[in-house]
Amino acid sequence: MKNYFKFKILLSVVMLSSFTACQQQFVTTPNLPTEASLVADSVGNGLETELNIDYVTAFKNLKSAYSRCVAFTGEKDFVFTDNKLEEDLEMGTLFARTEGGAYLSKALIESIGQNKTRMTLFLPSSYKFAQSRLKLDAQRALGKDPMCNVAKPI
Protein backbone atom coordinates (compact mmCIF):
# COMPACT_ATOMS: atom_id res chain seq x y z
CA MET A 1 0.00 0.00 0.00
CA LYS A 2 2.85 2.34 0.84
CA ASN A 3 4.44 1.71 -2.58
CA TYR A 4 1.10 2.47 -4.25
CA PHE A 5 1.02 5.96 -2.69
CA LYS A 6 4.66 6.59 -3.64
CA PHE A 7 3.81 5.61 -7.22
CA LYS A 8 0.77 7.95 -7.29
CA ILE A 9 2.88 10.86 -6.00
CA LEU A 10 5.64 10.16 -8.53
CA LEU A 11 3.09 9.90 -11.35
CA SER A 12 1.51 13.21 -10.30
CA VAL A 13 4.88 14.97 -10.30
CA VAL A 14 5.76 13.58 -13.75
CA MET A 15 2.38 14.59 -15.18
CA LEU A 16 2.63 18.08 -13.67
CA SER A 17 6.14 18.65 -15.00
CA SER A 18 5.18 17.48 -18.50
CA PHE A 19 2.09 19.74 -18.40
CA THR A 20 4.28 22.69 -17.41
CA ALA A 21 6.65 21.92 -20.29
CA CYS A 22 3.73 21.91 -22.72
CA GLN A 23 2.46 25.18 -21.28
CA GLN A 24 5.79 26.91 -21.88
CA GLN A 25 6.14 25.52 -25.39
CA PHE A 26 2.62 25.96 -26.69
CA VAL A 27 1.07 28.77 -24.65
CA THR A 28 3.63 31.59 -24.78
CA THR A 29 5.12 30.73 -28.16
CA PRO A 30 4.83 31.20 -31.02
CA ASN A 31 3.77 34.82 -30.82
CA LEU A 32 3.95 37.98 -32.89
CA PRO A 33 4.57 41.57 -31.76
CA THR A 34 1.39 43.22 -33.09
CA GLU A 35 -2.18 42.35 -34.00
CA ALA A 36 -1.45 43.31 -37.63
CA SER A 37 1.56 40.98 -37.82
CA LEU A 38 -0.47 38.16 -36.27
CA VAL A 39 -3.25 38.54 -38.83
CA ALA A 40 -0.79 38.94 -41.74
CA ASP A 41 1.22 35.84 -40.72
CA SER A 42 -1.63 33.63 -39.55
CA VAL A 43 -2.31 30.02 -40.48
CA GLY A 44 -4.49 30.02 -43.61
CA ASN A 45 -5.06 33.78 -43.29
CA GLY A 46 -7.36 32.86 -40.41
CA LEU A 47 -9.18 29.58 -39.83
CA GLU A 48 -12.97 29.82 -40.02
CA THR A 49 -15.87 27.76 -38.82
CA GLU A 50 -19.60 28.37 -38.55
CA LEU A 51 -21.47 27.70 -35.34
CA ASN A 52 -25.17 27.25 -34.66
CA ILE A 53 -25.31 29.66 -31.74
CA ASP A 54 -25.98 33.36 -31.20
CA TYR A 55 -22.77 35.42 -31.48
CA VAL A 56 -23.23 37.05 -28.04
CA THR A 57 -23.55 33.66 -26.36
CA ALA A 58 -20.57 32.32 -28.33
CA PHE A 59 -18.53 35.36 -27.31
CA LYS A 60 -19.46 35.00 -23.62
CA ASN A 61 -18.73 31.26 -23.66
CA LEU A 62 -15.34 31.79 -25.28
CA LYS A 63 -14.49 34.68 -22.96
CA SER A 64 -15.27 32.55 -19.92
CA ALA A 65 -13.33 29.57 -21.27
CA TYR A 66 -10.30 31.72 -22.11
CA SER A 67 -10.25 33.20 -18.61
CA ARG A 68 -10.27 29.68 -17.17
CA CYS A 69 -7.99 27.80 -19.59
CA VAL A 70 -5.90 30.27 -21.61
CA ALA A 71 -4.95 33.05 -19.19
CA PHE A 72 -2.40 32.02 -16.58
CA THR A 73 0.41 33.24 -14.38
CA GLY A 74 3.46 31.02 -14.18
CA GLU A 75 6.87 31.22 -12.58
CA LYS A 76 8.40 32.72 -15.72
CA ASP A 77 5.43 33.44 -17.98
CA PHE A 78 2.19 35.40 -17.85
CA VAL A 79 -0.60 35.21 -20.44
CA PHE A 80 -3.68 37.38 -20.31
CA THR A 81 -6.75 37.73 -22.45
CA ASP A 82 -8.51 40.87 -23.47
CA ASN A 83 -11.71 41.17 -25.40
CA LYS A 84 -14.26 43.52 -26.83
CA LEU A 85 -17.91 42.88 -27.63
CA GLU A 86 -19.31 45.37 -30.17
CA GLU A 87 -23.02 44.71 -30.30
CA ASP A 88 -23.65 47.57 -32.73
CA LEU A 89 -21.38 45.74 -35.23
CA GLU A 90 -22.65 42.28 -34.15
CA MET A 91 -19.14 41.05 -33.45
CA GLY A 92 -16.65 40.39 -30.70
CA THR A 93 -12.89 39.99 -30.56
CA LEU A 94 -10.81 38.03 -28.06
CA PHE A 95 -7.02 38.14 -27.79
CA ALA A 96 -4.45 36.08 -25.91
CA ARG A 97 -1.26 38.02 -25.21
CA THR A 98 1.99 37.62 -23.34
CA GLU A 99 3.11 39.80 -20.47
CA GLY A 100 5.19 41.82 -22.94
CA GLY A 101 2.15 42.37 -25.14
CA ALA A 102 3.00 39.93 -27.96
CA TYR A 103 -0.03 38.36 -29.62
CA LEU A 104 -0.60 34.62 -29.27
CA SER A 105 -4.03 34.43 -30.89
CA LYS A 106 -7.05 36.39 -32.00
CA ALA A 107 -10.59 35.04 -32.20
CA LEU A 108 -13.15 37.03 -34.17
CA ILE A 109 -16.82 36.21 -33.48
CA GLU A 110 -19.34 37.57 -36.01
CA SER A 111 -23.08 37.22 -36.43
CA ILE A 112 -24.05 35.79 -39.82
CA GLY A 113 -27.74 35.38 -39.09
CA GLN A 114 -30.14 34.44 -36.35
CA ASN A 115 -28.37 31.90 -34.10
CA LYS A 116 -25.56 31.62 -36.67
CA THR A 117 -22.00 32.72 -35.92
CA ARG A 118 -18.75 32.73 -37.84
CA MET A 119 -15.63 32.26 -35.74
CA THR A 120 -12.27 33.14 -37.30
CA LEU A 121 -9.18 32.12 -35.38
CA PHE A 122 -5.85 33.77 -36.12
CA LEU A 123 -2.78 31.84 -34.98
CA PRO A 124 0.88 32.39 -35.94
CA SER A 125 1.86 30.41 -39.05
CA SER A 126 4.34 28.40 -36.97
CA TYR A 127 1.60 27.20 -34.60
CA LYS A 128 1.80 23.40 -34.76
CA PHE A 129 -1.76 22.28 -34.02
CA ALA A 130 -3.93 24.97 -35.60
CA GLN A 131 -6.82 22.75 -36.75
CA SER A 132 -7.03 21.09 -33.33
CA ARG A 133 -7.06 24.51 -31.66
CA LEU A 134 -9.85 25.66 -34.01
CA LYS A 135 -11.96 22.62 -33.08
CA LEU A 136 -11.27 23.17 -29.40
CA ASP A 137 -12.19 26.86 -29.55
CA ALA A 138 -15.36 26.00 -31.47
CA GLN A 139 -16.36 23.64 -28.64
CA ARG A 140 -15.54 26.36 -26.13
CA ALA A 141 -17.66 28.91 -28.04
CA LEU A 142 -20.53 26.41 -27.97
CA GLY A 143 -20.05 25.99 -24.22
CA LYS A 144 -19.13 22.30 -24.60
CA ASP A 145 -15.53 22.09 -23.32
CA PRO A 146 -15.89 20.28 -19.97
CA MET A 147 -12.50 21.56 -18.76
CA CYS A 148 -13.04 25.23 -19.60
CA ASN A 149 -16.79 25.88 -19.77
CA VAL A 150 -17.66 25.39 -16.15
CA ALA A 151 -20.95 26.73 -14.85
CA LYS A 152 -20.55 29.45 -12.27
CA PRO A 153 -22.12 28.80 -8.85
CA ILE A 154 -25.39 30.58 -8.16
Side-chain angles (χ1 to χ4, degrees):
M1 191 68 153
K2 197 175 193 180
N3 286 338
Y4 173 75
F5 287 114
K6 286 181 183 178
F7 174 75
K8 294 278 281 188
I9 291 171
L10 179 62
L11 182 61
S12 297
V13 168
V14 169
M15 289 177 65
L16 181 59
S17 64
S18 64
F19 175 74
T20 303
C22 289
Q23 286 287 326
Q24 291 172 353
Q25 181 178 2
F26 295 111
V27 175
T28 60
T29 59
N31 62 56
L32 291 164
T34 64
E35 177 187 356
S37 62
L38 172 65
V39 171
D41 185 45
S42 63
V43 176
N45 294 316
L47 303 171
E48 289 185 7
T49 189
E50 290 185 10
L51 307 169
N52 294 319
I53 189 171
D54 176 70
Y55 82 98
V56 173
T57 304
F59 175 85
K60 288 178 180 179
N61 287 342
L62 200 54
K63 177 182 171 186
S64 174
Y66 274 23
S67 69
R68 182 168 171 84
C69 290
V70 174
F72 76 95
T73 301
E75 187 176 317
K76 296 181 182 178
D77 297 305
F78 172 68
V79 171
F80 68 95
T81 61
D82 59 13
N83 55 76
K84 186 175 185 179
L85 178 62
E86 299 175 277
E87 293 187 69
D88 54 322
L89 299 175
E90 296 187 331
M91 64 181 284
T93 309
L94 300 102
F95 295 100
R97 297 172 52 194
T98 67
E99 182 176 17
Y103 287 78
L104 298 162
S105 66
K106 173 183 177 179
L108 181 61
I109 306 296
E110 303 171 279
S111 175
I112 56 173
Q114 188 174 2
N115 292 320
K116 219 46 171 149
T117 298
R118 177 179 31 246
M119 181 176 74
T120 308
L121 183 61
F122 299 92
L123 299 165
S125 61
S126 57
Y127 194 93
K128 294 185 183 202
F129 305 104
Q131 288 296 328
S132 296
R133 170 68 187 274
L134 177 65
K135 289 178 186 175
L136 181 58
D137 275 14
Q139 290 301 303
R140 290 172 174 171
L142 291 168
K144 295 182 179 180
D145 180 342
M147 296 295 290
C148 300
N149 296 107
V150 177
K152 294 179 182 171
I154 296 175

